[in-house]
């Protein structure tokens, strides 16, 4: 399974670094996506990183603020989030799947439980 951590309460303009650690299997060869779901809203894909060429994809409203990366030696994918806004408040989860469908999360599996990010002054 995948285990997320790094969430918390941060003021607008602040930063957080989320981690997604693979437990019980190797991340090598798996494309990994980050998703979020705010209360009363649909889950949305926000970023994905390819296992082979390390190419990345981002949802438009996080481009330039969020950076996805991976360290397969540590079995971990990271999401660096800068210049956070109140609208970024959500439960953030990671999962394995094809980056071509990360916008919807279709065909993603090994979902983690999520880590809560709250952006508020």
């Amino acid at each position: 399974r995948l285990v997320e951590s790094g969430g918390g309460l941060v003021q607008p303009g602040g930063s957080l670094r989320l981690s997604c650690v693979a437990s019980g299997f190797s991340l090598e060869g798996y494309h990994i996506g980050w998703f979020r779901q705010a209360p009363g809203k649909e889950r949305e894909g926000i970023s994905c990183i390819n296992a082979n060429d390390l190419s990345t994809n981002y949802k438009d409203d996080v481009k330039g603020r969020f950076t996805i990366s991976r360290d397969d030696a540590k079995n971990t994918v990271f999401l660096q989030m800068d210049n956070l806004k109140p609208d970024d408040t959500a439960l953030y989860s990671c999962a394995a799947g094809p980056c071509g469908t990360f916008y919807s999360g279709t065909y993603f599996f090994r979902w983690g439980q999520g880590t809560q990010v709250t952006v508020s002054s």
Side-chain angles (χ1 to χ4, degrees):
R1 65 192 180 105
L2 294 170
V3 180
E4 304 91 341
S5 63
L9 173 64
V10 64
Q11 292 187 341
S15 298
L16 284 173
R17 189 193 198 200
L18 305 185
S19 297
C20 169
V21 179
S23 177
F25 72 102
S26 172
L27 270 183
E28 283 191 42
Y30 287 97
H31 315 309
I32 300 295
W34 278 100
F35 304 83
R36 67 185 181 190
Q37 186 167 20
K41 293 188 177 180
E42 297 276 321
R43 182 185 65 205
E44 58 181 5
I46 54 173
S47 188
C48 193
I49 186 165
N50 187 289
N52 303 314
D53 61 11
L54 303 184
S55 60
T56 57
N57 305 87
Y58 295 95
K59 186 176 181 287
D60 284 347
D61 64 353
V62 306
K63 284 180 182 176
R65 299 189 299 122
F66 291 10
T67 304
I68 191 171
S69 62
R70 64 190 295 153
D71 184 339
D72 285 354
K74 294 182 178 179
N75 232 17
T76 304
V77 172
F78 302 99
L79 186 68
Q80 177 68 40
M81 305 188 297
D82 298 318
N83 191 21
L84 283 160
K85 304 176 180 180
D87 283 350
D88 295 320
T89 295
L91 182 69
Y92 284 70
S93 302
C94 59
C99 286
T101 63
F102 91 94
Y103 287 102
S104 65
T106 304
Y107 306 124
F108 276 75
F109 57 102
R110 294 192 188 269
W111 291 88
Q113 297 279 13
T115 184
Q116 179 67 37
V117 171
T118 303
V119 185
S120 175
S121 55

